[in-house]
Amino acid sequence: MTIAKPPIRRGRPPKVPREHADTREALLRCGMEVLTEQGFAVTGIDAVLKRVNVPKGSFYHYFDNKEAFGQAVLRRYAEYFARKLDRWLLNEAELPLQRLHNFVEDAKAGMTRHQFRRGCLVGNLGQEVVVLPDSFRMELEQVLLDWQQRLAVCLRQALGQGQIGADSDCDALAAYFWIGWEGAVLRARLVQDVRPLDVFIKGFLAGITR
């Protein structure tokens, strides 16, 4: 007796369903990519779902709406960027100001690698704040304050090692840095060149090491 073989399926192989945690992570990762490129207002949920091949019903299992998704993406980006800052600014193998310089070089390499399509998510959302839900304002400010505090720690170490003036206000300098940095990133995307980042960091370091 001959056993019939099952018919050969043609076309793409069947999709393997993701675990719940993997699906949420895929959505957040895609959200960071898309929002750093084009911002929140013009990003449609359908475009995100299409990129990661997730049905709309699954999206609403994890997020109540687009606003909740955007806030979750912002928090994930803040966690990612905080780890990046700590990796560079807490590296005690380097002098404190060299750590800051290394952070800038890493940012330049990243922008170049992505052909200046991606900027800073916080900066992107900050430019849209007048059209964003009010819930984003406090979230964005808290992220910036966290970055300031992390940089201020590095600058205080520079102060202790005599790299910057004894009368330097490290908290104020950290706030000044991030205000200027976001503008430099925007300009770099505009001209598709890292020179605005070089101009900014050169001016910042010259001002605090006189």
Side-chain angles (χ1 to χ4, degrees):
M1 175 174 153
T2 303
I3 300 177
K5 295 182 180 180
I8 298 175
R9 294 179 179 271
R10 300 188 181 277
R12 295 180 180 179
K15 297 171 184 175
V16 178
R18 293 188 180 98
E19 296 293 335
H20 291 311
D22 292 340
T23 300
R24 187 176 190 276
E25 183 62 31
L27 288 166
L28 291 175
R29 186 167 55 249
C30 179
M32 284 200 295
E33 293 173 358
V34 174
L35 295 185
T36 52
E37 288 185 10
Q38 61 189 40
F40 181 82
V42 300
T43 297
I45 294 301
D46 288 341
V48 174
L49 298 178
K50 185 176 181 180
R51 285 181 63 161
V52 293
N53 200 23
V54 171
K56 186 169 288 190
S58 294
F59 174 85
Y60 288 108
H61 173 75
Y62 300 106
F63 309 103
D64 290 338
N65 47 42
K66 182 182 176 182
E67 178 180 350
F69 174 64
Q71 288 184 331
V73 170
L74 175 58
R75 286 191 288 270
R76 177 57 58 85
Y77 181 85
E79 293 168 0
Y80 151 78
F81 204 84
R83 291 194 299 270
K84 178 190 288 285
L85 286 176
D86 287 348
R87 183 169 68 251
W88 293 112
L89 301 183
L90 299 180
N91 179 16
E92 295 187 356
E94 302 276 10
L95 291 172
L97 293 188
Q98 183 60 44
R99 302 174 202 169
L100 181 57
H101 179 77
N102 293 344
F103 160 75
V104 173
E105 290 299 311
D106 179 69
K108 288 164 55 179
M111 293 194 75
T112 302
R113 184 170 60 253
H114 293 294
Q115 300 178 323
F116 299 93
R117 293 192 308 273
R118 298 182 188 176
C120 171
L121 178 59
V122 171
N124 288 358
L125 294 177
Q127 294 175 61
E128 297 183 275
V129 71
V130 294
V131 297
L132 291 178
D134 288 339
S135 58
F136 279 86
R137 290 179 181 271
M138 186 60 69
E139 292 271 2
L140 289 167
E141 179 64 9
Q142 289 303 313
V143 173
L144 288 169
L145 289 173
D146 177 69
W147 294 357
Q148 288 175 203
Q149 291 169 2
R150 292 172 191 274
L151 178 55
V153 170
C154 181
L155 293 176
R156 278 192 282 272
Q157 291 180 355
L159 177 63
Q161 296 182 33
Q163 286 193 290
I164 61 178
D167 60 345
S168 298
D169 183 337
C170 295
D171 291 315
L173 288 174
Y176 175 79
F177 176 88
W178 289 113
I179 291 171
W181 177 255
E182 292 299 338
V185 170
L186 174 62
R187 186 69 175 274
R189 291 188 74 192
L190 177 66
V191 299
Q192 297 193 333
D193 195 286
V194 298
R195 283 178 293 179
L197 304 183
D198 288 328
V199 170
F200 172 72
I201 191 60
K202 182 179 179 180
F204 180 79
L205 293 177
I208 67 176
T209 55
R210 290 175 182 172

